């Protein structure tokens, strides 16, 4: 096994252990391997080790990397975990199977239009700014219910769940608990929460997706 394959196996093991500790069914949390900034040759060993769900935060970068990788392996599931601009909605619908970052009406409208045009319906999650951080994307938790309702009633979109990125300097547990509570109140199944530093905590709070990058691929070039 390569280093990256050893790290992937370790993360899978830790997710399974956290599921067990939390009395959740095995496989209840799916691993999104976040491959942003890494090249195809860094990603291939992870695909070879059986990983099929990958996350990217930029539409353009994903478009440059993934068509070739997907031509080699048919059952890749690609997730957009970074902010989406409405002028990239068409490419996002074309490329991604799951979009975690729906956070305003303009994006909901653009996605609805492109989904109708392309006849393709990626799974959609709403990003919630649980820490109310001004620099961070996501809707105010108090507006989550109204926003999810508007996605459905105004734009005909099915929202499958919620996503959050807790403030870096805070303990993540309360943020994961808040996201889980809102999802429960709204009857939404998917919870995208937890990254390299805190994915086991997120599993404990009911994450259905954890998004793990550096703990699998190694440190990213900060300039990239
Ligand atoms: C980069 C990124 C991740 C992965 O972060 P790591 O700390 O490297 O695991 C997860 N979620 C989002 C939204 C990201 O942009």
């Amino acid at each position: 096994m390569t280093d990256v394959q050893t790290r992937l196996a370790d993360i899978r093991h830790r997710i399974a252990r956290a599921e067990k500790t939390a009395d959740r069914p095995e496989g209840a949390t799916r691993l999104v391997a976040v491959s942003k900034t890494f090249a195809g040759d860094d990603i291939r060993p992870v695909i070879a080790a059986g990983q099929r769900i990958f996350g990217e935060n930029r539409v353009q970068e994903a478009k440059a990397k993934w068509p070739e990788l997907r031509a080699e392996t048919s059952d890749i599931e690609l997730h957009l975990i970074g902010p989406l601009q409405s002028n990239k909605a068409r490419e996002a619908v074309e490329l991604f199977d799951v979009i975690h970052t729906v956070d305003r009406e303009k994006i909901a409208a653009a996605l609805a239009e492109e989904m109708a045009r392309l006849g393709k319906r990626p799974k959609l999650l709403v990003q919630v700014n649980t820490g109310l951080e001004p620099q961070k994307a996501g809707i105010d938790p108090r507006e989550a219910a109204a926003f999810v309702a508007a996605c459905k009633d105004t734009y005909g979109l099915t929202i499958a769940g919620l996503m959050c990125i807790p403030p870096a300097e805070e303990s993540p547990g309360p943020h994961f608990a808040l996201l889980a509570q809102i999802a429960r109140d709204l009857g939404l199944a998917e919870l995208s929460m937890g990254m390299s530093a805190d994915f086991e905590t997120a599993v404990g709070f009911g994450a259905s997706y954890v998004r793990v990058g550096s703990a699998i691929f190694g440190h990213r070039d900060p300039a990239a």
Side-chain angles (χ1 to χ4, degrees):
M1 286 210 290
T2 65
D3 286 354
V4 73
Q5 289 174 336
T6 305
R7 288 194 295 262
L8 175 69
D10 176 60
I11 300 295
R12 292 197 163 288
H13 174 73
R14 287 164 61 190
I15 290 170
R17 200 172 50 194
E19 286 171 340
K20 204 166 201 167
T21 304
D23 262 327
R24 299 186 60 205
E26 193 182 333
T29 304
R30 284 150 293 162
L31 172 62
V32 180
V34 177
S35 50
K36 65 187 186 195
T37 79
F38 288 95
D41 284 344
D42 300 311
I43 299 169
R44 283 188 182 89
V46 178
I47 297 174
Q51 178 66 26
R52 289 294 179 271
I53 307 179
F54 289 87
E56 290 283 344
N57 68 335
R58 294 206 175 108
V59 175
Q60 289 316 112
E61 183 185 340
K63 199 179 166 186
K65 280 171 13 188
W66 281 97
E68 188 182 344
L69 293 167
R70 277 182 146 160
E72 299 164 7
T73 307
S74 61
D75 54 346
I76 297 289
E77 190 178 297
L78 200 57
H79 292 222
L80 179 64
I81 61 167
L84 179 59
Q85 306 302 322
S86 53
N87 64 0
K88 298 271 167 57
R90 180 172 308 179
E91 288 167 305
V93 171
E94 281 168 350
L95 266 171
F96 291 98
D97 303 295
V98 184
I99 296 174
H100 292 229
T101 50
V102 181
D103 69 348
R104 54 197 189 278
E105 294 221 12
K106 194 172 176 202
I107 291 298
L111 288 171
E113 187 182 330
E114 297 305 336
M115 285 163 66
R117 186 200 309 269
L118 297 164
K120 184 169 178 260
R121 299 186 72 82
K123 184 187 278 191
L124 302 178
L125 278 63
V126 166
Q127 182 172 354
V128 180
N129 188 357
T130 58
L132 296 170
E133 295 174 281
Q135 83 287 5
K136 201 166 269 177
I139 58 157
D140 184 318
R142 294 162 295 201
E143 287 157 17
F147 181 68
V148 169
C151 285
K152 177 165 179 272
D153 300 337
T154 310
Y155 304 104
L157 297 175
T158 300
I159 299 299
L162 305 177
M163 175 272 215
C164 77
I165 309 170
E169 65 286 357
E170 287 182 32
S171 162
H175 295 275
F176 297 155
L178 174 62
L179 197 73
Q181 181 62 55
I182 299 170
R184 223 173 2 253
D185 291 346
L186 300 179
L188 301 176
E190 302 287 9
L191 273 178
S192 166
M193 55 192 199
M195 312 185 358
S196 289
D198 54 19
F199 68 89
E200 286 154 305
T201 305
V203 171
F205 282 99
S208 64
Y209 293 117
V210 288
R211 311 177 307 265
V212 179
S214 48
I216 297 170
F217 288 98
H219 285 295
R220 286 182 293 274
D221 179 356

